[in-house]
Amino acid sequence: MRRGGHQAPHDDPRPALADEAEGYLLAHAHRDQARREAEDLCARMPWLTTAQAEELTGHYVRRRLDVTRQLLHSTVRRAEELRQEYESRYAALRHALLRRHAACACAVLACAGGVSALTALLTR
């Protein structure tokens, strides 16, 4: 299911391309944000040399991206776990509903047969 509640066709590469482009843009925006934060941090430390500030900025950006990657991986893993749980629960509920409908259909047929038999006996 895609945003907006529309089902994505499996053979259409456009949604995958759009998702990839969106991910690329988000990654760059996140890296730029991390770089700005690192530069702000270095600006509050005027005693750093230019080389030290660049090294600190690079380290901060790498570490921040690593943390973000770990968070995203854990979120994806948890989403997969939840999807599996929901799918198994949905299958169990669907099976129980099917059994109930089958039981009701059998009861209705039995009642209809009984009424038909009773009507046949009474009309003789």
Side-chain angles (χ1 to χ4, degrees):
M1 182 112 350
R2 313 241 336 128
R3 274 187 232 142
H6 299 295
Q7 189 74 297
H10 297 288
D11 297 332
D12 191 3
R14 287 177 293 180
L17 182 61
D19 288 346
E20 189 174 329
E22 181 183 18
Y24 179 80
L25 292 173
L26 286 172
H28 275 282
H30 188 75
R31 188 180 64 209
D32 291 343
Q33 176 66 29
R35 182 167 295 285
R36 282 192 298 276
E37 289 174 7
E39 288 170 354
D40 288 343
L41 176 65
C42 290
R44 288 181 283 187
M45 297 183 215
W47 61 87
L48 293 176
T49 64
T50 304
Q52 290 173 328
E54 288 175 1
E55 184 180 343
L56 180 63
T57 299
H59 178 72
Y60 181 89
V61 169
R62 282 188 304 277
R63 184 65 188 134
R64 172 83 182 272
L65 292 177
D66 288 343
V67 168
T68 301
R69 190 174 295 113
Q70 290 171 355
L71 288 172
L72 288 173
H73 284 302
S74 65
T75 301
V76 167
R77 187 174 52 252
R78 180 64 181 145
E80 180 63 27
E81 291 170 2
L82 287 173
R83 186 179 68 77
Q84 290 296 329
E85 288 176 24
Y86 287 135
E87 283 180 356
S88 64
R89 180 69 178 145
Y90 176 75
L93 290 172
R94 193 175 66 201
H95 183 69
L97 185 63
L98 180 63
R99 274 194 330 244
R100 289 180 187 146
H101 278 104
C104 286
C106 288
V108 166
L109 287 173
C111 288
V115 168
S116 176
L118 183 62
T119 304
L121 286 175
L122 292 177
T123 57
R124 286 190 181 176

